[in-house]
Amino acid sequence: GRLQGYLDMMKIPYSSCGFVTSVITFDKSACKRALAGTGIDLAREILVGRNTKIDPAAVAGELGLPLFVKPNASGSSFGVTKVKSADQILPAVEKAFAESDHVLIEEYIQGREISCGVLIAGGREYLFPITELVCETEFFDYDAKYKGLSKEITPAPLDAEIVRKVNAMTLSAYKTLNCRGVVRIDFIVKGDRPYLIEVNTIPGMSAHSIIPQQAQAMGMTVGQLYDLIIEDTSKQAE
């Protein structure tokens, strides 16, 4: 949110989420607290700081195994570890502290990894076709994201009721967090129940990124998407 805050002070319009939204969504625990009570399902968590005393057995007993240890404020899955035994918890926490001053120890939700893009522009709500992420790795980590170790299926082969739930949760999160521009929200679907995992307020927009794939599946070129975003941003700046 630092760049957004600078642009706000300079009164320069921009197409992404604002300063406050960017700060909240980059802080995983704060984002989940902001969404609590909205009816969106979220994984259980324990947030720890550098001086927090951690009892690995107690953590495993509360959240179960396996579980995830991740930096509370970081991107691209840097410092994220899938922990399978209690003795791996402390080393995973130390690894995560290399990326962030707070670490999130989170319940593991076993299910299908999906992602849904959303945009509100010109008074219209755009919910993009959902993408399923099928990884060769154990989860959608750095290698899966950037080294081609995942298959991205758009639109995802999901039941209509699950699509409806994910779309409703995506739009609810977007509005609750006061998002602007294109946002991508990641979920794990366990059975017929989607759990929101992360909100990406500046999603990748390269040719191989998820949002351009979703736009194409919706019948929209990337150029048309950019035109839509620029036009809406220009109107807001007037």
Side-chain angles (χ1 to χ4, degrees):
R2 293 176 183 174
L3 179 58
Q4 289 87 340
Y6 174 78
L7 293 172
D8 286 337
M9 288 190 295
M10 298 296 292
K11 301 187 183 302
I12 298 173
Y14 54 92
S15 61
S16 68
C17 294
F19 167 74
V20 174
T21 299
S22 299
V23 170
I24 291 173
T25 53
F26 195 65
D27 183 312
K28 295 177 176 65
S29 185
C31 183
K32 290 171 73 174
R33 289 196 300 272
L35 294 173
T38 62
I40 295 174
D41 288 320
L42 304 162
R44 294 176 296 133
E45 67 173 68
I46 298 172
L47 182 67
V48 299
R50 292 188 182 276
N51 297 321
T52 304
K53 291 184 178 180
I54 302 170
D55 181 344
V59 170
E62 180 176 343
L63 298 179
L65 290 168
L67 53 78
F68 275 104
V69 175
K70 57 182 72 172
N72 186 52
S74 183
S76 295
S77 296
F78 290 127
V80 178
T81 304
K82 183 179 179 181
V83 169
K84 298 180 181 179
S85 61
D87 65 330
Q88 296 176 343
I89 292 175
L90 294 181
V93 168
E94 286 304 311
K95 177 182 176 182
F97 273 134
E99 304 292 337
S100 177
D101 288 332
H102 289 84
V103 170
L104 201 62
I105 305 174
E106 197 171 59
E107 170 190 17
Y108 170 61
I109 307 294
Q110 184 174 10
R112 301 168 67 180
E113 298 187 51
I114 63 169
S115 191
C116 185
V118 58
L119 166 69
I120 296 180
R124 179 179 171 184
E125 298 171 353
Y126 296 86
L127 282 159
F128 292 64
I130 297 168
T131 297
E132 181 171 8
L133 310 166
V134 181
C135 305
E136 296 177 28
T137 51
E138 287 202 82
F139 63 96
F140 197 47
D141 61 6
Y142 183 89
D143 288 344
K145 290 176 180 178
Y146 302 115
K147 296 185 178 180
L149 298 181
S150 67
K151 183 179 180 181
E152 298 160 1
I153 305 170
T154 309
L158 298 168
D159 291 341
E161 180 60 17
I162 293 176
V163 172
R164 185 195 66 78
K165 289 179 181 178
V166 170
N167 284 344
M169 291 167 69
T170 297
L171 200 55
S172 175
Y174 187 98
K175 292 179 177 180
T176 299
L177 296 167
N178 196 30
C179 294
R180 294 202 314 257
V182 177
V183 170
R184 200 189 79 235
I185 302 182
D186 299 335
F187 298 85
I188 298 290
V189 179
K190 182 179 181 180
D192 62 352
R193 189 174 180 179
Y195 289 78
L196 188 148
I197 300 300
E198 191 168 74
V199 177
N200 301 280
T201 58
I202 307 180
M205 295 296 286
S206 71
H208 300 291
S209 297
I210 293 173
I211 289 294
Q213 293 179 40
Q214 294 180 346
Q216 185 177 11
M218 195 165 72
M220 181 186 297
T221 67
V222 175
Q224 289 171 330
L225 176 60
Y226 286 154
D227 286 345
L228 186 64
I229 295 168
I230 292 168
E231 181 180 359
D232 186 68
T233 303
S234 299
K235 287 181 179 178
Q236 291 181 32
E238 291 175 357

